[in-house]
Every structure is written in structure tokens, then in C-alpha cells.
Amino acid sequence: MNLSIKNFTFAALALSALLFTCYFTGGAEAETTVMINTVAGSASSDPALATLKSPGGLALDTDGNLYIADTYNHLIRLINTTTGVINTIAGTGEQGYFGNGGAAPDAKLNLPEGVAIDNSTGNLKYVKLGSAPVILDDDTNVGQWSSIGVDSDGIPHVSYYDGGNADLKYVKVDAACLSNPPATCTQRILDSAGQVGSDSSMAVDSAGIPHIVYFDATNRYLKYVKLDGLSSPRTIHNRLAVGRYTAIALDPDGAPHITYYESSGLFASRLWYIRGPFATSLPPIRVDRL
């Protein structure tokens, strides 16, 4: 099939068949002829017959072999463009999140939508743009005031309020958690001393350690915890009625910088700021009146 294209950008994916993607953007008089061939899929008479389902991404390696994100089959395919043979190189065909660090054919993928080849190493990479929601904690009345931070390995860390028990909780959303959530997720209670954990805010440092700031509603104080395995929750501002609407960020040295709100008292409706490390930091500073 020949197509004459004028002033047009073209990308072709046929129903149930994968086509090479071709494009051309020209000026007012630009015109080109593009040859389009089906190389895989049920519409092809090529030896690389396969039933593809909404393929969503292509990549070519330095040898000219074609990699396919077979999105709705939850697979990554490889076509040897010399022999025309297609093989599955990643995924079992069962939708899921499982197999990080294991053999690629044993992994469960969830709607892979893109593939890329790192030609400096020959490594294949794939991307999932968006994913189905998963439940991380199925206890009663959990998840208010959640905050998320992502470490350098791309693993999310989540702090949140357990309204049923009035506790601060935390979960690491790693491959083990995502293999069968929420059963395989480890939900940790970080602080249960009174009614604590609302208004939580989290940041993750370069070592992958979460820092969490939150409100102690029992004492109406601001509290902080660093999940380094050594530290315990601590009060960092014990002025009555401070600690709502928190936010935290880390500087290049990993020191926390925190802002928060005072809801009543002499300095009601003020914005406060404090920075760590808290053993040596300046005292809290009133920044502005909201």
C-alpha cells in the first residue's frame, strides 16, 4: 500500500496488526510517498504471525530487531527482522505487578505502553503510563491526610492517618507490596501516642529515608519522625495549637525544612517555619499572618 502524504504527520497502527510508524512533516509544497508494511499481527501473511492486542510502543535495537509493547496482552515481544520470528521476552500474559529482579518471562506486567532500547548497554526498558488503582491498606477508615515521596529507585513511600485508631501509619510501595496488595504490603504504625498523624507531609532523602512531619491533636503540637531505624517520633514545636497544614522539603544536605499553621492563641492564623537538624537548629520562626 502506497500513501501520498502532503502537509501531514502520519503514525499507523492497524486494527489487530502492528505497522512500522512513519511520519513526515513538510512545508507548503512538501510531499513524500511512504511505504507501509504489516510486520506482525493477525492481518499479516508474514512468518511473524501473532495475535497482538492494542500494541502501544516500538523500539529498534542496533541490529534492526523490533521490540513491541503488546499492551493489552501484558507482554513485551521481540521480532527478529532477519528471520521474521516473533518471541515473547517479558511477561506471562497475566496482568499484574510482579517479578522485579527476576526472570523477565516470569514477570507480570500491567498494560505496558512503551519500550526503549539503551543502545549503550543493550538493555530493554518499558514504561507504563498510568496504572490501575490499588488498595494499600484495607483497615477501617484509613488513608486521610496521605502524603507520598519517591526514592531514587522509583519506589513510593506513603504516610497517612489511621482514623479508626488515631495513629500515624506508613507503607512502602515496593514490588513485594504490589505483587498482591494489600495482603503483601507491610503497613507500619509509626506513632500511636494519643491522637496523632493528621496533616502528615513526607519527603524522602537521597539515602531513601523518609522524613515525616505531622500533627499531634492530643497535645496540639508539631511532631516529626525520621525512618532511619534509629529515631523515634519527637515533638519539634510544643507551642499550643501549632502543626496543622504541614509541608516538608529536604535541602541538598538532607536537612528538613518545614512549614505549618497555628490555628489559635496569641499568634493565631500565622504561618510558621522551622528547619533541621532539630538538635542544633534555630527556634521556629513566624513567617506571615495568613
Side-chain angles (χ1 to χ4, degrees):
M1 175 174 62
N2 294 340
L3 292 180
S4 179
I5 303 174
K6 187 173 183 179
N7 300 328
F8 188 66
T9 300
F10 179 78
L13 278 175
L15 290 173
S16 303
L18 178 73
L19 307 180
F20 278 108
T21 302
C22 309
Y23 64 91
F24 181 83
T25 303
E29 301 301 323
E31 184 171 320
T32 190
T33 298
V34 180
M35 292 296 296
I36 301 176
N37 296 301
T38 300
V39 296
S42 58
S44 175
S45 58
D46 189 276
L49 285 172
T51 301
L52 304 179
K53 193 172 183 180
S54 296
L58 305 176
L60 288 169
D61 65 19
T62 53
D63 295 322
N65 297 311
L66 180 64
Y67 295 79
I68 307 165
D70 190 356
T71 303
Y72 279 88
N73 280 327
H74 314 292
L75 300 170
I76 304 295
R77 311 271 201 162
L78 169 63
I79 296 177
N80 184 313
T81 51
T82 301
T83 65
V85 175
I86 185 169
N87 288 298
T88 296
I89 59 171
T92 64
E94 182 180 354
Q95 184 177 9
Y97 300 89
F98 180 77
N100 188 35
D106 297 331
K108 294 180 183 179
L109 306 182
N110 183 52
L111 299 170
E113 294 181 354
V115 286
I117 298 295
D118 182 350
N119 285 316
S120 65
T121 62
N123 292 331
L124 171 69
K125 300 179 179 180
Y126 89 92
V127 62
K128 170 68 181 83
L129 301 178
S131 61
V134 297
I135 295 174
L136 300 176
D137 191 335
D138 59 358
D139 283 349
T140 302
N141 194 20
V142 293
Q144 299 176 60
W145 290 293
S146 65
S147 182
I148 188 169
V150 180
D151 64 29
S152 58
D153 293 324
I155 297 174
H157 301 253
V158 180
S159 64
Y160 57 102
Y161 181 61
D162 178 348
N165 296 292
D167 296 336
L168 175 68
K169 296 185 77 172
Y170 160 83
V171 61
K172 183 178 180 180
V173 192
D174 55 12
C177 174
L178 291 175
S179 64
N180 186 27
T184 53
C185 300
T186 301
Q187 303 91 3
R188 293 172 52 189
I189 298 173
L190 300 181
D191 193 345
S192 60
Q195 185 178 342
V196 292
S198 66
D199 299 88
S200 76
S201 182
M202 173 192 285
V204 180
D205 65 25
S206 59
I209 297 172
H211 300 241
I212 305 168
V213 61
Y214 56 100
F215 183 53
D216 175 349
T218 298
N219 297 297
R220 302 174 73 190
Y221 293 163
L222 178 70
K223 297 189 77 172
Y224 162 84
V225 62
K226 179 179 179 181
L227 303 188
D228 57 1
L230 303 173
S231 305
S232 300
R234 56 182 298 187
T235 298
I236 56 173
H237 192 174
N238 60 0
R239 180 181 177 82
L240 190 65
V242 296
R244 298 298 309 276
Y245 312 114
T246 63
I248 185 171
L250 305 177
D251 64 25
D253 295 324
H257 296 248
I258 298 167
T259 58
Y260 51 99
Y261 178 72
E262 180 174 354
S263 58
S264 64
L266 180 62
F267 299 110
S269 303
R270 258 71 163 190
L271 175 68
W272 287 81
Y273 163 80
I274 188 173
R275 74 170 184 260
F278 299 111
T280 58
S281 67
L282 294 172
I285 302 169
R286 294 191 307 276
V287 178
D288 198 0
R289 178 167 185 155
L290 299 181

